[in-house]
Amino acid sequence: MMPLLEEVHVSLKQVLVEAGSVIEYVYFPESCVCSILARTEHVNPIEVGMIGFEGMTDMVLREGDRTPLRAIIQLSGTAWRMKAADFAHCVEAYRSLNHLVLRFKETLAIQFAYTALAHGSFTIEERLARWLLMSHDRARRDTMPLVHEFMAAMLAVRRSGVTTAIHILEGAGAIRASRGIITIRDREKLEDIASGSYGVPETEYERLMLA
C-alpha cells in the first residue's frame, strides 16, 4: 500500500471528510488527532468518536461511498492519505487488510457506544476527563493546545460548563490549564475521575487489534 500513500500536514479544524459528500480520501493519522462528528441541519454537531495514530477515517468499501459523519482535525499534525478508490481496491484484493478493517470497525463501534453512554450517564467533569484521556492517548504528549470553546463543542455543553469542569480537574491535581493549553499532570487521577466512561473501548482495541 505504501506507493499509494501520500503524507500530508493537516491543521486545526480542517475538514477531512464532509458529511454527505463522496469520500475522496481515506486518512491514516500519524501525529494528528481527528474528531468524528454527528450533525443535522438544526442541531449543533457533537463528537461521537476520536481517532489518531491507531486508526483511520471512513472505511471505504467501494468507490463513491458517502458518510453522514464529519471528520475534522482536533490536534494538528501529519497524516497519510490514500485515494478512496485505491483503498477500496486494496480491501477487495487483500484478504488480510479486509479482516483488519473489519476489526477496526468493531473497535470504533464500541468507542461510539461508550461515547453515547458517557453523554447520557456521566457528569461533565467525568466526560471531560474521558475526552482528555482519549486525546492524551493519541497525542502521545502531556501538553496539548486545547481551548475551552472547542472542548465545549465536542462535548455539546456550554463553555461555562467546561470551565467549571476544568477547575474541578485542576483542583484534583489531574491537569493544569493555561491559555489554550491543557497539561496532563496525573493520569491516574484523571482515570479515577473518568470512572467507567473510560477503559472498555481501549481494552477492546488492544484485544481486537493488537492480540
Side-chain angles (χ1 to χ4, degrees), residues 117-207:
L117 177 66
H119 287 322
S121 303
F122 289 81
T123 65
I124 294 178
E125 56 266 27
E126 289 169 338
R127 291 163 56 194
L128 179 61
R130 173 184 184 262
W131 192 85
L132 290 173
L133 285 165
M134 292 174 64
S135 299
H136 188 230
D137 289 340
R138 291 158 178 82
R140 293 177 287 182
R141 57 184 185 270
D142 291 339
T143 299
M144 298 173 285
L146 297 168
V147 297
H148 290 203
E149 290 85 357
F150 186 83
M151 290 184 280
M154 294 302 97
L155 297 174
V157 298
R158 293 183 178 181
R159 185 187 185 282
S160 59
V162 166
T163 300
T164 300
I166 285 174
H167 289 329
I168 291 172
L169 300 187
E170 278 194 295
I175 67 170
R176 180 173 63 251
S178 57
R179 286 184 176 271
I181 300 292
I182 298 290
T183 300
I184 307 299
R185 296 182 59 195
D186 191 325
R187 186 179 168 93
E188 288 188 4
K189 286 184 180 178
L190 205 57
E191 290 179 3
D192 287 341
I193 295 170
S195 189
S197 66
Y198 176 85
V200 173
E202 289 70 27
T203 299
E204 286 299 294
Y205 180 90
E206 291 187 6
R207 181 181 69 84

Side-chain angles (χ1 to χ4, degrees), residues 56-179:
M56 55 184 288
T57 58
D58 297 86
M59 286 69 74
V60 177
L61 296 180
R62 55 193 174 274
E63 190 173 356
D65 271 355
R66 301 170 185 265
T67 175
L69 302 177
R70 191 183 208 195
I72 69 167
I73 294 300
Q74 169 190 317
L75 292 173
S76 61
T78 57
W80 295 86
R81 72 180 185 182
M82 177 186 288
K83 290 181 179 178
D86 289 336
F87 182 78
H89 172 74
C90 287
V91 169
E92 184 176 351
Y94 301 110
R95 189 174 182 179
S96 60
L97 175 62
N98 185 42
H99 288 174
L100 190 63
V101 168
L102 289 174
R103 289 199 299 273
F104 181 66
K105 278 188 172 184
E106 176 67 13
T107 69
L108 208 55
I110 294 167
Q111 185 195 135
F112 285 2
Y114 272 78
T115 297
L117 177 66
H119 287 322
S121 303
F122 289 81
T123 65
I124 294 178
E125 56 266 27
E126 289 169 338
R127 291 163 56 194
L128 179 61
R130 173 184 184 262
W131 192 85
L132 290 173
L133 285 165
M134 292 174 64
S135 299
H136 188 230
D137 289 340
R138 291 158 178 82
R140 293 177 287 182
R141 57 184 185 270
D142 291 339
T143 299
M144 298 173 285
L146 297 168
V147 297
H148 290 203
E149 290 85 357
F150 186 83
M151 290 184 280
M154 294 302 97
L155 297 174
V157 298
R158 293 183 178 181
R159 185 187 185 282
S160 59
V162 166
T163 300
T164 300
I166 285 174
H167 289 329
I168 291 172
L169 300 187
E170 278 194 295
I175 67 170
R176 180 173 63 251
S178 57
R179 286 184 176 271

